[in-house]
Amino acid sequence: MSQASVTAAGRLAGHGEAAHAHHHPTSLGIPNQKLATWLFIASESMFFASLITTYMVFRYRSVVGPHPDEVVNIPLTTVSTFILLMSSLTMALGVSAAHRGEMRAVGKYLALTILGGLGFLVIQFYEWWHLAHDFGLTWRTNIFGSVFYILTGFHKAHVIFGMLWLSVIAISSFRGTLRKEHAVNVDVAGLYWHFVDVVWIVIFTLVFLLTEAGV
Amino acid sequence: MATITVERSFWQALPKPKAESGFWSWVTTVDHKRIGILYFWTSIVFFLIGGVEALLMRLQLAGPNQTIIGPDLFNQLFTMHATTMIFLAIMPLTASFFNYFIPLLIGARDVAFPKLNAFSYWMFLLGGIFLNSSWFLGGPSDAGWFGYPNYSLKEYNPGLGVDFWIIGLLLTGIGTLVSGFNFIVTILNMRAPGMSLMRLPMFAWTTMVTSFLIVFSFPVITVALLLSLFDRLFGTLLFDIFAGSDLTVYHHLFWVFGHPEVYIIVLPAMGIVSEILPVFSRKPLFGYSVMVFSTMLIGFVGFGVWSHHLFTVGMGPVVNTVFALATMIIAVPTGIKMFNWIGTLYGGRIRFTAAMMYALGFLALFLIGGLTGVMLSAAPSNAQIHHTYFVVGHFHYVMIGGALFSLIAAIHYWGPKMFGRMLDERLGKIGFWTLFVGFNMTFFPMNILGVLGMPRRIYTYAAGMGFETWNAISTVGALIMGLSILITLYNLLTSLRRGEPAPADPWDGRTLEWTIPSPVPEYNFARIPHVSSRDELWVRKHPQLAHGAVAETAAAEEAPEEAIVMPGGSYMPLLVALGLFVGSYGLLYYMPVFWGGIAVSLLGLVGWALEGDNLRIVRPGGSH
Ligand SMILES: [Cu+2]
């Protein structure tokens, strides 16, 4: 069978991964990557829903302290929440730059987004250190500690993964290899980043604000 | 416009697999058909392992007070038998048919994400190997396929068995989840022109609903498994009752996954039967749209019934009643399907091929599985029989009578398309009757034993309680089942070598996979079909049924393409999977290996994203 490798995508009827060089109409009109990312987000929502539910059931069941209402730090967490939300803004600007075809600008906005993620993480890790150091709360102290560190830890892991993902795109933007037809890749990374932010808003409300309000 | 500047980054300059045959072509393949065949044989190997585990348990239970297998090994056997059969045999065998046939049924050249598809397979294979390697590394888990804490905690279950079980399930779970995304996108987005959603073959519908169930339920068991893994590895206190835990949290998380899992296994089986019955009745599927909506209804309600596994933990009468009623409601869409299948048969010109006989066997046996399920759904009677062999009988009527019968039907029906050879019909029918007789001998007595009060998950029983005869019959039945599986396997292996070459359309079929040669060429369709009917091929063969629609669409179809661009292979899916696989051993033995594995996987992911397309041009029609 004769074969040759080609550098530009040819007529590959409806091919997802290969199609980013040359968009083929899909049955629904939505790019495959975007549809898959929405499904991924649906699945991740179930993941965090399960974790958050577990947190809500376990948070006041510890037989020894400290308990949630003794340790939450609203001002500090509000600052980190604000930073993370601002990183969603720069992410949105990056996506819009990609749609306008300004592929070099994408990298700048993504770098700002990554910086926002970094700021959030620094404050959050400081808070972990603060809880462990000043309250003696580790994930082996009591059941609240276990479920608190695991829930916020999985969220942090998602932020870190998002930062790595955005770095790959940002680097290719700076190197000039990010082209117009890659806009959908920026799009789906943006969807993921916004999702991680939304999850944090839920965590912030349930883990921090509700506790402060005494619920 | 200037010519295309070919900038080759470091990643794009990496070597790409070029082999078209031999070992490396299979290791690096992204072709959905080859991946389907890999799933096929791998799941059969795991199926045989699970079957041997079952036979060992049946031998132990053949008579009272036997000591062929001690209690410890017995507990490991029922844990590994269930885990292997569910996650490594039945689900991947259905995945094999998803892989091979979904693109063919919807008129596509591959799935939406071919590389992700390969990754799914490698996660399944390596996860299965990881799980089973625990037999040689200190013994597997004995905590049941549900792995409830606190029995699964380090304190009560030292050793690495449970860790192997948890991580093995997480590894295969990643693969399953990814294939869930892949098949939803494929079915929604890769349909041939004219293949509207309401023209999709039923198997494509059930695959899509199954994939949605996977997408929504697998993350929940992931959380349950991760939480107990943290307790075991890092000493967290999530399921430590002395620290104030509530173990029912794990129960709920597990069954929020566990009940939809039943439909993840059974819905594809229903889809297969819905393909086979019309072909061998020479009639369209009765009540197609009702079938579609009852499939969705089963998927939807299936998420709201999980607590029927927890009737005896003390949820109270109101909650128990709600979940009992919700469970009974599922019998309605299932019953609708049953009547639609009977309606399909009614007045048809039925051909009793081996595939058809297995499909009819499904109807009869799944009915028993469904009815015993309704009996279990009533909370008061559930309290009496929930930990007895009645439950074992019930779910084997669903898992074997339902899923396995339809999967073997699919082997006989679709095997010729996959392997290019016809299976022996006479051996197929012998296989059917031995399985049918052996199966009912094995599992019907279990329903009776359950009502008599024989508890499940007990390695032996005393004489004189009325259990002996039924257990002896059951064990003989199990041996007959084992014989039947060997006959089917012999049929498959010999037919692959000596069977008659399969024509494109051996069964007078109705759907698109029968329009192309057997085995299927690499590019599937030389030209992408235009679809004008639910039973597209049938209408093409009988144009008077179509009222001219075929002539229109045939004219709209393009001429066969001279050069088709197909995705070439990649090393990256296997590399990412291997990183996770090796890293998992590191997690249990030596942490640096864990971090090394994660690093390899991340590098593999970057390479995956940046290596570019390894496209190749295939020319259909002779001019090789
Ligand atoms: Cu159930």
Side-chain angles (χ1 to χ4, degrees):
Chain A
M1 190 176 284
S2 77
Q3 66 141 50
S5 62
V6 286
T7 47
R11 300 171 65 204
L12 179 60
H15 245 294
E17 277 175 352
H20 48 69
H22 171 77
H23 274 291
H24 257 278
T26 60
S27 309
L28 292 183
I30 307 166
N32 285 343
Q33 294 100 309
K34 211 165 186 175
L35 189 53
T37 307
W38 277 114
L39 292 166
F40 177 64
I41 286 173
S43 194
E44 287 270 74
S45 301
M46 287 301 282
F47 181 85
F48 277 107
S50 308
L51 271 179
I52 291 169
T53 308
T54 308
Y55 172 84
M56 294 306 280
V57 175
F58 282 163
R59 61 184 177 148
Y60 279 117
R61 291 186 67 99
S62 309
V63 291
V64 294
H67 299 287
D69 47 358
E70 297 159 24
V71 301
V72 291
N73 186 337
I74 296 294
L76 194 62
T77 318
T78 307
V79 173
S80 69
T81 305
F82 177 78
I83 294 175
L84 195 62
L85 287 184
M86 286 304 105
S87 79
S88 250
L89 175 67
T90 53
M91 184 72 236
L93 291 173
V95 170
S96 126
H99 281 280
R100 290 195 310 272
E102 299 163 15
M103 304 318 282
R104 296 266 178 185
V106 169
K108 284 176 214 151
Y109 286 120
L110 293 197
L112 281 174
T113 309
I114 295 166
L115 217 58
L118 200 64
F120 170 80
L121 284 179
V122 167
I123 295 178
Q124 283 303 302
F125 277 114
Y126 166 75
E127 196 190 14
W128 272 17
W129 177 84
H130 168 67
L131 287 177
H133 191 256
D134 297 337
F135 292 97
L137 182 71
T138 71
W139 66 353
R140 290 180 206 167
T141 306
N142 58 22
I143 193 163
F144 161 64
S146 298
V147 73
F148 173 82
Y149 284 108
I150 288 176
L151 172 59
T152 52
F154 271 113
H155 182 263
K156 285 182 179 62
H158 279 74
V159 173
I160 293 170
F161 181 76
M163 287 162 63
L164 291 174
W165 185 353
L166 295 183
S167 312
V168 174
I169 301 178
I171 290 170
S172 57
S173 161
F174 291 138
R175 298 187 55 203
T177 50
L178 192 72
R179 284 188 288 272
K180 257 186 173 174
E181 57 268 24
H182 298 127
V184 66
N185 296 359
V186 185
D187 241 3
V188 299
L191 283 177
Y192 174 82
W193 190 260
H194 296 317
F195 167 73
V196 172
D197 282 11
V198 169
V199 170
W200 179 253
I201 290 172
V202 177
I203 295 177
F204 180 59
T205 309
L206 292 179
V207 177
F208 294 87
L209 294 182
L210 273 191
T211 311
E212 183 71 7
V215 180
Chain B
M1 215 33 217
T3 52
I4 306 164
T5 46
V6 184
E7 302 153 69
R8 281 166 71 84
S9 70
F10 166 76
W11 297 100
Q12 284 163 331
L14 286 178
K16 303 245 171 38
K18 291 279 173 244
E20 281 182 52
S21 59
F23 178 75
W24 284 106
S25 73
W26 285 89
V27 168
T28 59
T29 187
V30 296
D31 178 348
H32 72 98
K33 298 178 289 298
R34 285 184 155 209
I35 293 169
I37 286 170
L38 287 171
Y39 264 110
F40 185 85
W41 292 113
T42 315
S43 61
I44 282 185
V45 170
F46 282 122
F47 177 75
L48 293 176
I49 295 174
V52 169
E53 286 159 355
L55 284 177
L56 287 173
M57 285 188 284
R58 272 326 312 169
L59 287 179
Q60 162 65 21
L61 291 171
N65 293 320
Q66 293 202 105
T67 50
I68 305 168
I69 287 166
D72 294 330
L73 180 57
F74 190 86
N75 292 356
Q76 292 174 327
L77 284 173
F78 72 62
T79 301
M80 291 300 280
H81 163 71
T83 308
T84 303
M85 286 306 201
I86 292 169
F87 295 101
L88 307 179
I90 295 181
M91 280 178 70
L93 194 53
T94 57
S96 149
F97 294 118
F98 293 173
N99 265 286
Y100 204 100
F101 287 100
I102 287 302
L104 303 185
L105 286 168
I106 65 173
R109 291 211 169 111
D110 208 321
V111 295
F113 302 101
K115 278 202 261 180
L116 275 182
N117 204 23
F119 174 69
S120 288
Y121 168 73
W122 295 114
M123 291 310 290
F124 151 56
L125 173 70
L126 297 175
I129 291 174
F130 186 85
L131 185 66
N132 275 283
S133 70
S134 59
W135 282 109
F136 311 104
L137 296 168
S141 167
D142 63 354
W145 87 282
F146 38 85
Y148 280 176
N150 45 11
Y151 180 63
S152 68
L153 298 184
K154 205 86 188 168
E155 216 178 330
Y156 310 100
N157 217 317
L160 295 176
V162 177
D163 303 298
F164 273 108
W165 178 82
I166 291 174
I167 299 170
L169 285 192
L170 288 173
L171 292 174
T172 59
I174 293 169
T176 308
L177 201 48
V178 166
S179 75
F181 303 139
N182 209 344
F183 281 100
I184 295 173
V185 177
T186 303
I187 294 169
L188 286 179
N189 250 359
M190 310 277 288
R191 285 166 285 138
M195 179 64 85
S196 62
L197 286 175
M198 290 311 275
R199 283 179 188 160
L200 280 178
M202 264 317 286
F203 183 64
W205 264 112
T206 56
T207 302
M208 181 156 68
V209 175
T210 300
S211 302
F212 270 106
L213 293 179
I214 288 172
V215 164
F216 286 113
S217 71
F218 266 68
V220 185
I221 192 186
T222 304
V223 168
L225 294 172
L226 284 171
L227 294 182
S228 52
L229 188 68
F230 276 86
D231 270 14
R232 287 184 63 87
L233 292 184
F234 308 120
T236 52
L237 305 167
L238 294 156
F239 299 119
D240 185 340
I241 41 171
F242 301 111
S245 179
D246 179 354
L247 298 183
T248 58
V249 168
Y250 183 95
H251 301 171
H252 283 286
L253 289 177
F254 182 83
W255 288 108
V256 167
F257 149 81
H259 191 82
E261 172 68 18
V262 177
Y263 300 113
I264 290 172
I265 286 172
V266 164
L267 285 179
M270 292 173 159
I272 289 168
V273 167
S274 306
E275 297 298 319
I276 291 176
L277 292 181
V279 168
F280 296 111
S281 308
R282 293 173 69 85
K283 276 181 68 190
L285 183 68
F286 185 83
Y288 170 90
S289 31
V290 182
M291 286 296 242
V292 170
F293 288 110
S294 43
T295 304
M296 289 193 224
L297 201 62
I298 290 175
F300 193 74
V301 183
F303 264 101
V305 302
W306 77 90
S307 288
H308 62 213
H309 296 271
L310 306 169
F311 279 149
T312 54
V313 301
M315 296 181 296
V318 176
V319 177
N320 277 6
T321 309
V322 169
F323 278 100
L325 289 175
T327 306
M328 290 173 193
I329 284 172
I330 292 201
V332 175
T334 314
I336 289 171
K337 289 190 158 214
M338 201 53 93
F339 283 110
N340 279 338
W341 288 320
I342 295 170
T344 307
L345 295 168
Y346 184 78
R349 273 194 278 151
I350 294 175
R351 284 175 292 161
F352 285 99
T353 59
M356 183 63 162
M357 289 166 85
Y358 275 106
L360 293 172
F362 165 93
L363 291 194
L365 301 177
F366 183 67
L367 180 64
I368 297 178
L371 291 177
T372 48
V374 176
M375 290 161 79
L376 279 166
S377 70
S381 67
N382 182 285
Q384 294 299 313
I385 51 180
H386 81 284
H387 207 272
T388 70
Y389 264 88
F390 189 85
V391 180
V392 183
H394 154 67
F395 70 70
H396 280 94
Y397 268 89
V398 175
M399 296 288 160
I400 299 180
L404 186 66
F405 268 73
S406 85
L407 287 169
I408 301 182
I411 292 176
H412 288 86
Y413 175 65
W414 276 327
K417 182 60 64 183
M418 290 173 84
F419 302 111
R421 302 264 181 181
M422 302 301 292
L423 271 71
D424 187 285
E425 275 292 307
R426 201 175 58 92
L427 280 177
K429 285 174 189 171
I430 295 173
F432 167 76
W433 283 113
T434 43
L435 191 66
F436 190 80
V437 170
F439 169 77
N440 283 295
M441 272 177 75
T442 313
F443 292 103
F444 203 80
M446 291 191 185
N447 289 324
I448 300 168
L449 280 168
V451 176
L452 291 176
M454 179 167 167
R456 56 192 291 211
R457 304 194 189 107
I458 297 287
Y459 84 104
T460 192
Y461 50 92
M465 294 200 289
F467 299 160
E468 291 97 325
T469 317
W470 296 117
N471 271 299
I473 294 174
S474 181
T475 299
V476 173
L479 292 170
I480 297 175
M481 284 177 76
L483 180 72
S484 165
I485 296 301
L486 290 182
I487 292 171
T488 302
L489 202 61
Y490 173 80
N491 185 5
L492 192 57
L493 292 174
T494 51
S495 299
L496 287 191
R497 292 177 189 285
R498 296 196 293 270
E500 267 180 56
D505 181 18
W507 309 118
D508 197 7
R510 315 175 71 86
T511 36
L512 287 175
E513 77 271 37
W514 308 112
T515 62
I516 49 180
S518 316
V520 180
E522 185 181 358
Y523 44 83
N524 297 353
F525 298 92
R527 56 178 169 181
I528 295 297
H530 284 236
V531 178
S532 64
S533 167
R534 231 170 246 163
D535 292 296
E536 177 64 18
L537 175 58
W538 190 254
V539 171
R540 287 186 192 188
K541 287 189 280 196
H542 304 275
Q544 72 278 10
L545 299 170
H547 311 293
V550 176
E552 282 169 36
T553 57
E557 274 181 16
E558 303 161 29
E561 290 171 45
E562 288 186 357
I564 298 169
V565 182
M566 295 300 294
S570 169
Y571 297 109
M572 296 305 166
L574 177 59
L575 189 68
V576 177
L578 269 178
L580 293 172
F581 173 67
V582 175
S584 299
Y585 283 103
L587 193 58
L588 297 184
Y589 291 103
Y590 187 55
M591 278 309 273
V593 175
F594 171 73
W595 293 113
I598 297 293
V600 168
S601 288
L602 284 176
L603 280 178
L605 272 183
V606 176
W608 183 322
L610 299 184
E611 71 175 345
D613 302 312
N614 180 22
L615 297 177
R616 38 197 249 108
I617 296 176
V618 183
R619 292 174 204 284
S623 60
H624 298 349

